Amino acid sequence: MRTIAGRLLRELLRLLPDRNAYQERIDICMRLVNGERLDGHKIYSLHEPDVLCISKGKEGKKYEFGNKVSIVRLWDGLIIGALSFRNEYDGHTIDKAMEQVRRLYDRKIKTLACDRGYRGQSMSGQTQIIIPDTPKKTDSRYAKNKKHKLFRKRAGIEPVIGHCKADHRLGRNFYKGLFGDSINVMLAAAAFNFKRAMRLLLCLIERVIMWCCGRQELNFQHQFFPQGYMKKCDVAFLRVD
């Protein structure tokens, strides 16, 4: 198939003028025909030449095709940052992700909990980056338990990404180009947050109806704004998938 495609392309180049409407398409096909296995510029899709082959290191699926996505969430599951990347190292995506969070969230994030794939950076502006590691000998029992709870809470970002993929079309992008990748991840994150808001509104309406019927005492503040909410808003969790 590669030999036949090469012959057809050379025939088209011989017959078509130097300036024609198909030159961009022909260049992509030439990259596909002349590309080598390890040259770093291989074409995996003719209709979407920006698709990358990303090595994930998983046993069942060693390679995935597409681009990387960075998700930042609060302790309660609200997504406050969603950004599309190419195939950068995870640690190099922190500054761009936090810049988007500062622009959209408009509040300071004091602590950012990440996984071990973000090793190499301890601060991003005024935000402290914490990565799971062996406890220090100087840490007290309280400090160890506090870090342990924080990293256990960080694991909650995994199902958030899973729901965005399964329920909000983050798993497959139908928009074209690099700009389409950025639009897709932002729409998926917005849909996830809107769904949470709709569930909260439905729960609020049900509570109001039950209160009007005299069946249950209404306590909005305890139900929807638990203690320590404002204190924990300065903690966020970051994950790249």
Side-chain angles (χ1 to χ4, degrees):
M1 293 179 65
R2 186 174 181 178
T3 302
I4 296 173
R7 294 184 64 179
L8 289 174
L9 283 173
R10 288 189 293 271
E11 185 71 13
L12 286 174
L13 290 174
R14 187 178 64 84
L15 296 176
L16 291 174
D18 294 337
R19 294 183 179 180
N20 57 80
Y22 306 100
Q23 189 61 41
E24 183 179 357
R25 200 53 146 174
I26 291 175
D27 292 339
I28 294 175
C29 294
M30 289 297 292
R31 287 173 57 190
L32 174 65
V33 172
N34 298 328
E36 297 295 334
R37 191 171 189 178
L38 300 176
D39 62 353
H41 303 284
K42 191 174 181 180
I43 300 293
Y44 297 96
S45 175
L46 287 176
H47 72 280
E48 192 63 45
D50 296 319
V51 170
L52 298 175
C53 179
I54 302 174
S55 177
K56 301 294 290 184
K58 300 177 182 178
E59 185 65 27
K61 187 186 294 185
K62 295 185 178 181
Y63 301 98
E64 291 184 358
F65 298 90
N67 65 305
K68 284 189 175 182
V69 168
S70 172
I71 299 291
V72 184
R73 66 178 282 268
L74 293 177
W75 70 278
D76 59 350
L78 183 67
I79 297 177
I80 57 174
L83 202 59
S84 174
F85 292 95
R86 297 294 287 160
N87 194 12
E88 293 93 337
Y89 168 62
D90 292 355
H92 296 164
T93 64
I94 296 177
D95 292 335
K96 293 181 181 179
M98 294 309 299
E99 181 182 355
Q100 185 196 34
V101 169
R102 297 186 194 101
R103 187 175 67 253
L104 298 179
Y105 189 48
D106 198 22
R107 291 190 61 178
K108 293 182 180 179
I109 301 296
K110 296 182 180 179
T111 306
L112 181 68
C114 310
D115 57 17
R116 290 184 176 91
Y118 292 88
R119 288 177 177 172
Q121 188 173 351
S122 59
M123 294 292 294
S124 177
Q126 299 180 354
T127 303
Q128 181 184 7
I129 300 171
I130 300 179
I131 297 173
D133 203 350
T134 305
K136 300 179 181 179
K137 294 182 179 180
T138 56
D139 288 346
S140 63
R141 187 177 184 87
Y142 170 77
K144 292 179 182 178
N145 291 335
K146 188 176 181 180
K147 289 182 180 179
H148 182 62
K149 290 180 180 179
L150 180 65
F151 293 131
R152 286 178 60 187
K153 192 68 178 177
R154 188 216 65 83
I157 199 171
E158 305 292 345
V160 170
I161 296 177
H163 281 296
C164 288
K165 285 183 175 181
D167 302 334
H168 306 298
R169 298 185 181 181
L170 185 62
R172 177 171 291 183
N173 181 19
F174 293 93
Y175 299 105
K176 190 170 181 61
L178 300 179
F179 186 64
D181 296 339
S182 302
I183 291 177
N184 185 58
V185 61
M186 290 293 292
L187 290 178
F192 181 86
N193 289 337
F194 278 132
K195 189 173 183 180
R196 286 171 50 89
M198 290 171 63
R199 286 202 303 265
L200 180 63
L201 180 61
L202 179 61
C203 184
L204 180 63
I205 293 174
E206 291 178 351
R207 298 274 291 181
V208 169
I209 293 175
M210 294 175 65
W211 177 70
C212 291
C213 296
R215 296 182 181 180
Q216 187 174 353
E217 183 181 357
L218 189 63
N219 189 357
F220 296 117
Q221 187 174 1
H222 178 72
Q223 177 73 18
F224 301 108
F225 302 100
Q227 295 181 358
Y229 177 80
M230 297 305 294
K231 295 180 180 179
K232 295 182 179 179
C233 279
D234 58 355
V235 179
F237 308 95
L238 175 63
R239 177 76 165 86
V240 166
D241 191 86

